[in-house]
Amino acid sequence: MKTRATAMAPASVANVAVGFDLLGFSVAAAGDEVTVERTSKPGVEIGDVTGVVTQVPKDSAKNTATAGLVRLAHDLDLKFGFRVSIKKGIPLGSGMGGSAASAVAAIVAANAVLDKPLTEADMLSYSLIGEAQASGSYHADNVAPSFKGGLTIARVRSIDDRPRVELVSLPAIPETYTVLVHPQLILETKTARGVLKADIHLKSHVEQAANLAGFIAACYRQDFDLLKRSFADVVIEPQRAHLIPGFHDVKDSAMKAGSLGCSISGAGPSVFAWVRGRELAEAVEKAMIGAFARAGLESKSWVSSLTDAPAAKVIA
């Protein structure tokens, strides 16, 4: 029986333009690593925190990596505890699913040291509890792809006073690459959610629903033309665009360079694009970086294949 394990969970892009709080995909860009060690004393304590972020809540019930473990220990009435060390590879407030990655990595690592492994459904549920510490609500569009890998659609239901995730993996269209560009700017998820209106016009709802349906159909039909026609957010993006300096120029530059679609990654400020072919993806990447530079922002970028999107795993 292992008493110590380290897991890595990848960054992810949530919403994917047309699927607010539903769609997401993992990216081979950055990731968080969490080490969980069993202790003789019940409870969850936070150990070392290293990486690109070191200032995190020390209260285990409020930390994204440990809140799910606190609930897990309570539900299972564990007679031992956990010491948790965190290595952050995903910047804070980046729109790259950092809170979800920490939450997922912690549960995956803890599962490796439990006497009886959790079900996949339970692992997702406890990960979601951790991630909600950052977002303020239950939505699995980052947790699901970070845990499962690839492109997913996930719906959250509440069962027995605990969030449950219904997850469906969608096929990635071959030859499709994602360009992910992170400007040197912090935008907290709660701030980005705070600008959203509670209601939308019926016309916008119908248009967005049609785009989501077209997007999913395009994935199954491997249809680039339908994908490009459907890749438009008419509800969330217009409300958040002003939070990201130079966003419209970044998007226009990506589309002119040959992108299939471009939008805000999660809550932002990162922006992503889907592109057909590696060579064209690199051209789109250059165009997006240049547009952010014109807005006075330095940025970091990644190009990765959607057909080789990583999942969370135990690495030690």
Side-chain angles (χ1 to χ4, degrees):
M1 166 62 64
K2 294 185 68 168
T3 60
R4 187 176 188 273
T6 300
M8 187 283 296
S12 56
V13 170
N15 302 334
V16 200
V18 295
F20 179 69
D21 281 1
L22 296 172
L23 278 175
F25 63 91
S26 60
V27 291
D32 285 359
E33 294 181 13
V34 176
T35 298
V36 175
E37 184 174 5
R38 283 174 60 149
T39 59
S40 58
K41 181 181 178 181
V44 180
E45 64 173 300
I46 298 173
D48 295 335
V49 179
T50 59
V52 298
V53 180
T54 57
Q55 299 300 311
V56 299
K58 297 300 183 180
D59 183 342
S60 58
K62 297 180 180 179
N63 187 293
T64 57
T66 53
L69 294 179
V70 171
R71 179 64 181 272
L72 182 154
H74 174 269
D75 290 349
L76 299 183
D77 192 24
L78 297 180
K79 305 306 179 185
F80 57 87
F82 298 119
R83 178 177 172 80
V84 181
S85 299
I86 307 162
K87 182 178 180 181
K88 292 290 294 180
I90 303 173
L92 183 70
S94 61
M96 294 168 58
S99 56
S102 289
V104 168
I107 294 299
V108 171
N111 186 59
V113 302
L114 291 176
D115 296 328
K116 182 180 179 181
L118 299 170
T119 65
E120 181 176 289
D122 281 337
M123 294 174 75
L124 282 165
S125 177
Y126 289 119
S127 297
L128 204 60
I129 289 171
E131 196 274 345
Q133 293 301 311
S135 64
S137 62
Y138 292 132
H139 49 93
D141 47 353
N142 283 118
V143 164
S146 186
F147 175 80
K148 190 73 171 180
L151 175 64
T152 65
I153 184 166
R155 178 180 179 181
V156 178
R157 296 180 183 273
S158 180
I159 301 175
D160 298 329
D161 194 33
R162 184 144 56 87
R164 292 289 183 174
V165 180
E166 294 180 346
L167 185 157
V168 176
S169 293
L170 300 178
I173 302 177
E175 301 177 43
T176 307
Y177 287 79
T178 183
V179 177
L180 180 59
V181 182
H182 169 53
Q184 299 304 303
L185 179 71
I186 294 176
L187 178 56
E188 293 186 357
T189 301
K190 290 181 180 179
T191 299
R193 293 185 80 86
V195 303
L196 301 180
K197 298 177 182 177
D199 302 301
I200 62 173
H201 292 295
L202 179 60
K203 180 181 178 181
S204 297
H205 164 70
V206 172
E207 185 175 356
Q208 190 81 336
N211 286 340
L212 175 58
F215 179 95
I216 294 172
C219 289
Y220 279 100
R221 290 169 55 178
Q222 311 287 281
D223 189 332
F224 284 103
D225 291 334
L226 178 58
L227 180 69
K228 187 170 185 177
R229 294 197 303 273
S230 304
F231 214 116
D233 179 1
V234 300
V235 175
I236 304 301
E237 182 186 299
Q239 298 182 66
R240 286 178 167 170
H242 71 280
L243 298 174
I244 306 171
F247 170 74
H248 292 296
D249 187 22
V250 173
K251 181 175 181 177
D252 289 346
S253 297
M255 297 306 296
K256 289 177 181 177
S259 171
L260 295 165
C262 177
S263 191
I264 301 169
S265 175
S270 294
V271 179
F272 79 99
W274 277 17
V275 188
R276 185 175 186 178
R278 176 84 194 197
E279 184 176 345
L280 189 57
E282 291 174 354
V284 170
E285 177 188 29
K286 183 177 179 180
M288 294 170 70
I289 291 172
F292 269 127
R294 288 192 291 274
L297 290 172
E298 294 184 1
S299 57
K300 187 173 182 180
S301 62
W302 301 266
V303 174
S304 56
S305 170
L306 285 171
T307 55
D308 191 28
K313 62 180 179 180
V314 174
I315 59 175

